[in-house]
Coordinates of all heavy atoms in Angstrom, one line a residue:
M5 N 36.3 82.5 76.5 CA 35.3 82.8 75.5 C 34.3 83.9 76.1 O 33.8 84.7 75.4 CB 34.5 81.6 75.2 CG 33.2 81.8 74.4 SD 32.2 80.3 74.1 CE 33.3 79.0 73.7
L6 N 34.1 83.9 77.4 CA 33.2 84.9 78.0 C 34.0 86.1 78.6 O 33.3 86.9 79.2 CB 32.4 84.2 79.1 CG 31.5 83.1 78.5 CD1 30.8 82.4 79.7 CD2 30.4 83.7 77.6
E7 N 35.3 86.2 78.4 CA 36.0 87.3 79.0 C 35.5 88.6 78.4 O 35.3 88.8 77.3 CB 37.5 87.1 78.6 CG 38.4 88.1 79.4 CD 39.8 87.8 79.2 OE1 40.2 86.6 79.2 OE2 40.6 88.7 79.0
G8 N 35.2 89.5 79.4 CA 34.7 90.8 79.0 C 33.2 90.9 78.8 O 32.6 91.9 78.5
I9 N 32.5 89.8 79.0 CA 31.0 89.7 78.8 C 30.4 89.6 80.2 O 30.7 88.7 81.0 CB 30.6 88.6 78.0 CG1 31.1 88.7 76.6 CG2 29.0 88.5 78.0 CD1 30.8 87.6 75.6
D10 N 29.6 90.6 80.6 CA 29.0 90.5 81.9 C 27.7 89.7 81.9 O 26.6 90.2 81.9 CB 28.7 92.0 82.4 CG 28.2 92.0 83.8 OD1 28.2 91.0 84.5 OD2 27.8 93.1 84.3
Y11 N 27.9 88.4 81.7 CA 26.7 87.5 81.6 C 25.9 87.5 82.8 O 24.7 87.3 82.7 CB 27.1 86.1 81.1 CG 28.1 85.4 82.0 CD1 27.6 84.6 83.1 CD2 29.4 85.5 81.8 CE1 28.4 84.0 83.9 CE2 30.3 84.8 82.7 CZ 29.8 84.1 83.7 OH 30.6 83.4 84.5
W12 N 26.4 87.7 84.0 CA 25.6 87.6 85.2 C 24.6 88.8 85.2 O 23.4 88.6 85.5 CB 26.5 87.7 86.4 CG 25.6 87.8 87.7 CD1 25.5 88.8 88.6 CD2 24.7 86.8 88.2 NE1 24.6 88.5 89.6 CE2 24.1 87.3 89.3 CE3 24.4 85.5 87.7 CZ2 23.2 86.5 90.0 CZ3 23.4 84.8 88.4 CH2 22.8 85.3 89.5
E13 N 25.0 89.9 84.7 CA 24.1 91.1 84.6 C 22.9 90.7 83.6 O 21.8 91.0 83.9 CB 24.8 92.3 84.1 CG 24.0 93.5 84.0 CD 23.5 94.0 85.4 OE1 24.2 93.8 86.4 OE2 22.3 94.5 85.4
E14 N 23.3 90.0 82.5 CA 22.3 89.6 81.5 C 21.3 88.6 82.1 O 20.1 88.6 81.8 CB 23.0 89.1 80.3 CG 23.8 90.1 79.5 CD 23.0 91.0 78.7 OE1 21.8 90.7 78.4 OE2 23.5 92.1 78.5
L15 N 21.8 87.6 82.9 CA 21.0 86.5 83.3 C 20.3 86.7 84.7 O 19.4 86.0 85.0 CB 21.9 85.2 83.4 CG 22.5 84.7 82.1 CD1 23.4 83.5 82.4 CD2 21.4 84.4 81.1
R16 N 20.7 87.7 85.4 CA 20.2 87.9 86.8 C 18.7 88.1 86.8 O 18.0 87.5 87.6 CB 20.8 89.2 87.4 CG 20.3 89.4 88.8 CD 20.9 90.6 89.5 NE 21.8 91.4 88.6 CZ 22.6 92.3 89.1 NH1 22.8 92.4 90.4 NH2 23.3 93.0 88.3
E17 N 18.1 88.7 85.8 CA 16.7 89.0 85.7 C 16.0 87.9 84.9 O 14.8 88.0 84.7 CB 16.4 90.4 85.1 CG 17.0 91.5 85.9 CD 16.4 91.6 87.3 OE1 15.2 91.4 87.5 OE2 17.2 91.9 88.3
S18 N 16.6 86.9 84.5 CA 16.0 85.9 83.6 C 16.5 84.5 84.0 O 17.3 83.9 83.3 CB 16.4 86.2 82.1 OG 15.7 85.4 81.3
P19 N 15.9 84.0 85.1 CA 16.4 82.6 85.5 C 16.1 81.5 84.5 O 16.8 80.5 84.5 CB 15.6 82.4 86.8 CG 14.5 83.4 86.9 CD 14.9 84.5 85.9
S20 N 15.1 81.7 83.7 CA 14.8 80.6 82.7 C 16.0 80.5 81.7 O 16.3 79.4 81.2 CB 13.5 80.8 82.0 OG 13.6 82.0 81.2
Q21 N 16.7 81.6 81.4 CA 17.8 81.5 80.5 C 19.0 80.8 81.2 O 19.7 80.0 80.6 CB 18.3 82.9 80.1 CG 17.2 83.7 79.4 CD 16.7 83.0 78.2 OE1 17.4 82.3 77.4 NE2 15.4 83.1 78.0
M22 N 19.1 80.9 82.5 CA 20.2 80.2 83.3 C 19.8 78.7 83.3 O 20.7 77.9 83.2 CB 20.3 80.7 84.7 CG 21.3 80.0 85.5 SD 23.0 80.3 84.9 CE 23.3 81.9 85.6
E23 N 18.5 78.4 83.3 CA 18.1 77.0 83.3 C 18.5 76.4 82.0 O 19.0 75.2 81.9 CB 16.6 77.0 83.5 CG 16.0 75.6 83.5 CD 14.5 75.6 83.7 OE1 13.8 76.5 83.2 OE2 14.0 74.6 84.3
I24 N 18.4 77.1 80.9 CA 18.8 76.6 79.6 C 20.3 76.3 79.5 O 20.8 75.3 79.0 CB 18.4 77.5 78.4 CG1 16.8 77.5 78.3 CG2 19.0 77.1 77.1 CD1 16.3 78.5 77.4
C25 N 21.1 77.2 80.1 CA 22.5 77.1 80.2 C 22.9 75.8 80.9 O 23.7 75.0 80.5 CB 23.1 78.3 80.9 SG 24.9 78.3 80.9
V26 N 22.2 75.5 82.0 CA 22.5 74.3 82.8 C 22.0 73.1 82.0 O 22.7 72.1 82.0 CB 21.8 74.4 84.2 CG1 21.9 73.0 84.9 CG2 22.4 75.5 85.0
A27 N 20.9 73.2 81.3 CA 20.4 72.1 80.5 C 21.4 71.7 79.4 O 21.7 70.5 79.2 CB 19.1 72.4 79.9
I28 N 22.0 72.7 78.8 CA 23.0 72.4 77.7 C 24.2 71.7 78.3 O 24.6 70.7 77.8 CB 23.5 73.7 77.0 CG1 22.3 74.3 76.2 CG2 24.7 73.5 76.2 CD1 22.6 75.7 75.7
F29 N 24.7 72.2 79.5 CA 25.8 71.5 80.1 C 25.5 70.0 80.4 O 26.2 69.1 80.1 CB 26.2 72.2 81.4 CG 27.4 71.5 82.1 CD1 28.7 71.7 81.7 CD2 27.1 70.7 83.2 CE1 29.7 71.0 82.3 CE2 28.1 70.0 83.8 CZ 29.4 70.2 83.4
T30 N 24.3 69.8 81.0 CA 24.0 68.4 81.4 C 23.6 67.5 80.2 O 23.9 66.3 80.3 CB 22.9 68.4 82.5 OG1 21.7 69.1 82.0 CG2 23.3 69.1 83.8
N31 N 23.0 68.1 79.2 CA 22.7 67.3 78.0 C 23.9 66.9 77.2 O 23.9 65.8 76.6 CB 21.7 68.1 77.1 CG 20.3 68.2 77.7 OD1 19.9 67.4 78.6 ND2 19.6 69.2 77.3
V32 N 24.9 67.7 77.2 CA 26.1 67.5 76.4 C 27.1 66.6 77.2 O 27.8 65.8 76.7 CB 26.8 68.8 76.0 CG1 28.2 68.5 75.4 CG2 25.9 69.5 75.1
L33 N 27.1 66.7 78.5 CA 28.0 65.9 79.4 C 27.8 64.4 79.2 O 26.7 63.9 79.2 CB 27.8 66.3 80.9 CG 28.8 65.7 81.8 CD1 30.2 66.3 81.6 CD2 28.3 66.0 83.3
E34 N 28.9 63.7 79.0 CA 28.9 62.3 78.9 C 29.7 61.7 80.1 O 30.7 62.2 80.5 CB 29.6 61.8 77.6 CG 28.8 62.3 76.4 CD 29.5 61.9 75.1 OE1 30.6 61.2 75.1 OE2 29.0 62.3 74.0
L35 N 29.2 60.6 80.6 CA 29.8 59.9 81.7 C 30.3 58.5 81.3 O 29.6 57.8 80.5 CB 28.8 59.8 82.9 CG 28.1 61.1 83.4 CD1 27.1 60.8 84.4 CD2 29.2 62.0 83.9
D36 N 31.4 58.1 81.9 CA 31.8 56.7 81.7 C 31.1 55.7 82.5 O 30.1 56.1 83.3 CB 33.4 56.6 81.9 CG 33.8 56.8 83.3 OD1 33.0 56.8 84.2 OD2 35.0 57.0 83.5
D37 N 31.5 54.4 82.5 CA 30.8 53.4 83.2 C 30.8 53.6 84.7 O 30.0 53.0 85.5 CB 31.3 52.0 82.9 CG 31.0 51.6 81.4 OD1 30.0 52.2 80.9 OD2 31.7 50.8 80.9
Q38 N 31.8 54.3 85.2 CA 31.9 54.6 86.7 C 31.2 55.9 87.1 O 31.3 56.3 88.2 CB 33.4 54.6 87.1 CG 34.1 53.3 87.1 CD 34.4 52.8 85.6 OE1 34.8 53.6 84.8 NE2 34.1 51.6 85.4
G39 N 30.6 56.6 86.1 CA 29.9 57.8 86.4 C 30.8 59.0 86.4 O 30.4 60.1 86.8
E40 N 32.0 58.9 85.9 CA 32.9 60.0 85.8 C 32.8 60.7 84.4 O 32.6 60.1 83.4 CB 34.4 59.5 85.9 CG 34.7 58.8 87.2 CD 34.6 59.8 88.4 OE1 35.1 61.0 88.2 OE2 34.1 59.4 89.4
P41 N 32.8 62.0 84.5 CA 32.7 62.8 83.2 C 33.9 62.5 82.2 O 35.0 62.5 82.7 CB 32.6 64.2 83.6 CG 33.1 64.3 85.0 CD 33.0 62.9 85.6
V42 N 33.5 62.4 81.0 CA 34.6 62.2 80.0 C 34.7 63.4 79.0 O 35.7 63.4 78.3 CB 34.3 60.9 79.1 CG1 34.4 59.7 80.0 CG2 33.0 61.0 78.4
N43 N 33.8 64.3 79.1 CA 33.9 65.5 78.2 C 33.4 66.8 78.9 O 32.8 67.6 78.3 CB 33.0 65.3 76.9 CG 31.6 65.2 77.2 OD1 31.1 65.0 78.3 ND2 30.8 65.5 76.2
E44 N 33.8 66.9 80.1 CA 33.4 68.0 80.9 C 33.8 69.4 80.3 O 32.9 70.3 80.3 CB 34.0 67.9 82.3 CG 33.6 69.0 83.3 CD 34.1 68.8 84.7 OE1 34.9 67.9 84.9 OE2 33.8 69.7 85.5
K45 N 34.9 69.5 79.8 CA 35.4 70.8 79.2 C 34.6 71.1 77.9 O 34.2 72.3 77.7 CB 36.9 70.7 78.9 CG 37.8 70.7 80.1 CD 37.6 72.0 80.9 CE 38.4 72.1 82.1 NZ 38.1 73.2 83.0
Y46 N 34.2 70.1 77.2 CA 33.4 70.3 76.0 C 32.0 70.8 76.4 O 31.4 71.7 75.8 CB 33.3 69.1 75.1 CG 32.5 69.3 73.9 CD1 32.9 70.1 72.9 CD2 31.2 68.6 73.8 CE1 32.1 70.3 71.7 CE2 30.4 68.9 72.6 CZ 30.9 69.7 71.6 OH 30.1 69.9 70.5
A47 N 31.4 70.1 77.4 CA 30.1 70.5 77.9 C 30.1 72.0 78.4 O 29.2 72.7 78.2 CB 29.6 69.6 79.0
E48 N 31.2 72.3 79.1 CA 31.4 73.7 79.6 C 31.4 74.7 78.4 O 30.8 75.7 78.4 CB 32.7 73.9 80.4 CG 32.6 73.3 81.8 CD 34.0 73.3 82.5 OE1 34.9 74.0 82.0 OE2 34.1 72.7 83.5
R49 N 32.2 74.3 77.4 CA 32.3 75.1 76.2 C 31.0 75.3 75.5 O 30.7 76.4 75.1 CB 33.3 74.5 75.2 CG 33.5 75.3 74.0 CD 34.7 74.8 73.1 NE 34.8 75.7 72.0 CZ 35.5 76.9 72.0 NH1 36.0 77.3 73.1 NH2 35.5 77.6 70.9
R50 N 30.2 74.3 75.4 CA 28.9 74.4 74.7 C 28.0 75.4 75.5 O 27.3 76.2 75.0 CB 28.2 73.1 74.5 CG 29.0 72.2 73.5 CD 29.2 72.8 72.2 NE 27.9 72.8 71.5 CZ 27.6 73.6 70.4 NH1 28.5 74.5 70.0 NH2 26.5 73.6 69.8
A51 N 28.0 75.2 76.9 CA 27.2 76.1 77.7 C 27.7 77.6 77.6 O 26.9 78.5 77.5 CB 27.2 75.7 79.1
A52 N 29.0 77.7 77.5 CA 29.6 79.1 77.4 C 29.2 79.7 76.0 O 29.0 80.9 75.9 CB 31.1 79.0 77.6
A53 N 29.2 78.8 75.0 CA 28.9 79.3 73.6 C 27.4 79.8 73.6 O 27.1 80.8 73.0 CB 29.1 78.2 72.6
W54 N 26.6 79.1 74.3 CA 25.2 79.6 74.4 C 25.1 80.9 75.1 O 24.4 81.8 74.7 CB 24.3 78.5 75.1 CG 22.9 79.0 75.1 CD1 21.9 78.8 74.2 CD2 22.3 79.7 76.2 NE1 20.8 79.4 74.6 CE2 21.0 80.0 75.8 CE3 22.7 80.2 77.4 CZ2 20.1 80.7 76.6 CZ3 21.9 80.9 78.2 CH2 20.6 81.2 77.8
L55 N 25.8 81.0 76.3 CA 25.8 82.3 77.0 C 26.4 83.4 76.1 O 25.8 84.5 76.1 CB 26.7 82.2 78.2 CG 26.1 81.6 79.5 CD1 27.1 81.4 80.6 CD2 24.9 82.5 80.0
Y56 N 27.4 83.1 75.4 CA 28.0 84.1 74.5 C 27.0 84.6 73.4 O 26.8 85.8 73.2 CB 29.2 83.5 73.8 CG 30.0 84.4 72.9 CD1 31.1 85.1 73.4 CD2 29.6 84.7 71.6 CE1 31.9 85.9 72.6 CE2 30.4 85.5 70.8 CZ 31.5 86.2 71.3 OH 32.2 87.0 70.5
R57 N 26.3 83.6 72.9 CA 25.2 84.0 71.9 C 24.1 84.8 72.5 O 23.6 85.7 71.9 CB 24.7 82.7 71.2 CG 23.7 83.1 70.1 CD 23.2 81.9 69.4 NE 22.2 81.3 70.2 CZ 21.5 80.2 70.0 NH1 21.8 79.5 68.9 NH2 20.7 79.7 70.8
Y58 N 23.7 84.4 73.7 CA 22.6 85.1 74.4 C 23.0 86.5 74.7 O 22.2 87.4 74.5 CB 22.3 84.3 75.7 CG 21.2 85.0 76.5 CD1 19.9 84.9 76.1 CD2 21.5 85.8 77.6 CE1 18.8 85.5 76.8 CE2 20.5 86.4 78.3 CZ 19.1 86.3 77.9 OH 18.1 86.9 78.6
C59 N 24.2 86.7 75.0 CA 24.7 88.1 75.4 C 25.1 89.0 74.2 O 25.0 90.2 74.3 CB 25.9 88.0 76.4 SG 25.4 87.3 78.0
T60 N 25.6 88.3 73.1 CA 26.1 89.1 72.0 C 25.2 89.0 70.7 O 25.4 89.8 69.8 CB 27.5 88.7 71.6 OG1 27.4 87.4 71.1 CG2 28.4 88.8 72.8
G61 N 24.3 88.0 70.7 CA 23.5 87.8 69.5 C 24.2 86.9 68.4 O 23.6 86.7 67.4
K62 N 25.4 86.5 68.7 CA 26.1 85.6 67.7 C 26.9 84.6 68.5 O 27.3 84.8 69.6 CB 26.9 86.4 66.8 CG 28.0 87.2 67.5 CD 28.8 88.1 66.6 CE 29.8 88.8 67.4 NZ 30.2 90.0 67.0
L63 N 27.2 83.5 67.8 CA 28.1 82.5 68.4 C 29.5 82.9 68.2 O 29.8 83.6 67.3 CB 27.9 81.1 67.7 CG 26.6 80.4 68.1 CD1 26.3 79.2 67.1 CD2 26.7 79.8 69.5
P64 N 30.4 82.4 69.1 CA 31.8 82.6 68.8 C 32.3 82.1 67.5 O 31.7 81.1 67.0 CB 32.5 81.9 70.0 CG 31.5 81.7 71.0 CD 30.2 81.6 70.3
K65 N 33.2 82.7 66.9 CA 33.7 82.3 65.6 C 34.2 80.9 65.6 O 34.9 80.4 66.5 CB 34.9 83.2 65.2 CG 35.4 82.9 63.8 CD 36.4 83.9 63.3 CE 36.8 83.5 61.9 NZ 37.6 84.6 61.3
G66 N 33.7 80.1 64.6 CA 34.0 78.7 64.5 C 33.2 77.7 65.4 O 33.4 76.5 65.3
E67 N 32.4 78.2 66.2 CA 31.6 77.4 67.1 C 30.3 76.9 66.3 O 29.6 77.8 65.8 CB 31.2 78.2 68.3 CG 30.6 77.3 69.5 CD 31.7 76.5 70.1 OE1 32.8 76.9 70.2 OE2 31.3 75.4 70.6
P68 N 30.0 75.6 66.3 CA 28.8 75.2 65.6 C 27.6 75.6 66.4 O 27.6 75.9 67.6 CB 28.9 73.6 65.7 CG 29.9 73.3 66.7 CD 30.8 74.5 66.9
D69 N 26.5 75.7 65.6 CA 25.2 76.2 66.2 C 24.8 75.2 67.3 O 25.1 74.1 67.3 CB 24.1 76.2 65.1 CG 23.0 77.2 65.5 OD1 23.1 77.9 66.5 OD2 22.0 77.2 64.7
I70 N 24.0 75.8 68.2 CA 23.5 75.0 69.3 C 22.4 74.1 68.7 O 21.4 74.7 68.1 CB 23.0 75.9 70.4 CG1 24.0 76.9 70.9 CG2 22.4 75.1 71.6 CD1 25.2 76.2 71.6
E71 N 22.4 72.8 69.0 CA 21.4 71.9 68.5 C 20.2 71.9 69.4 O 20.4 72.1 70.6 CB 22.0 70.5 68.4 CG 23.2 70.4 67.4 CD 22.8 70.4 66.0 OE1 21.6 70.1 65.7 OE2 23.6 70.8 65.2
P72 N 19.0 71.7 68.9 CA 17.8 71.7 69.7 C 17.9 70.7 70.9 O 17.5 71.0 72.0 CB 16.7 71.3 68.7 CG 17.2 71.7 67.4 CD 18.7 71.5 67.4
W73 N 18.5 69.5 70.7 CA 18.6 68.5 71.7 C 19.5 69.0 72.9 O 19.3 68.6 74.0 CB 19.1 67.2 71.2 CG 20.5 67.2 70.7 CD1 20.9 67.3 69.5 CD2 21.7 67.0 71.5 NE1 22.3 67.3 69.4 CE2 22.8 67.1 70.7 CE3 21.9 66.8 72.9 CZ2 24.1 67.0 71.1 CZ3 23.3 66.7 73.3 CH2 24.3 66.8 72.4
E74 N 20.4 69.9 72.6 CA 21.3 70.4 73.6 C 20.5 71.3 74.6 O 20.8 71.4 75.8 CB 22.4 71.2 73.0 CG 23.4 70.4 72.3 CD 24.5 71.2 71.6 OE1 24.2 72.0 70.7 OE2 25.7 71.1 72.1
C75 N 19.5 72.0 74.1 CA 18.7 72.9 75.0 C 17.5 72.3 75.6 O 16.8 73.0 76.4 CB 18.2 74.1 74.1 SG 19.5 75.0 73.3
Q76 N 17.2 71.0 75.3 CA 16.0 70.4 75.8 C 16.0 70.3 77.4 O 17.0 69.9 78.0 CB 15.9 69.0 75.3 CG 14.7 68.8 74.5 CD 14.6 67.4 73.9 OE1 15.5 66.6 74.1 NE2 13.6 67.1 73.2
L77 N 14.9 70.8 77.9 CA 14.7 70.7 79.4 C 14.0 69.3 79.7 O 13.1 68.9 79.0 CB 13.8 71.8 79.9 CG 14.4 73.2 79.7 CD1 13.4 74.3 80.1 CD2 15.7 73.4 80.4
H78 N 14.4 68.7 80.7 CA 13.8 67.4 81.1 C 13.2 67.5 82.5 O 13.6 68.2 83.3 CB 14.9 66.3 81.1 CG 15.6 66.1 79.8 ND1 15.0 65.3 78.8 CD2 16.7 66.6 79.2 CE1 15.8 65.3 77.7 NE2 16.8 66.1 78.0

């Protein structure tokens, strides 16, 4: 999804945007009873979708909008 997008260049000067990316990953990530992730790839995809939108101004085709709870900082 991020192939060809220089997101590091975009985020280098804006650490708060990187914080939101990490927040999305951790807010979406679900763990089983043993503390093992059950949807790690989906959490990665949501964080990548946010990065894509941040860098291009639009979400990848077919990707649902980022929900407010996904971006919440705790």
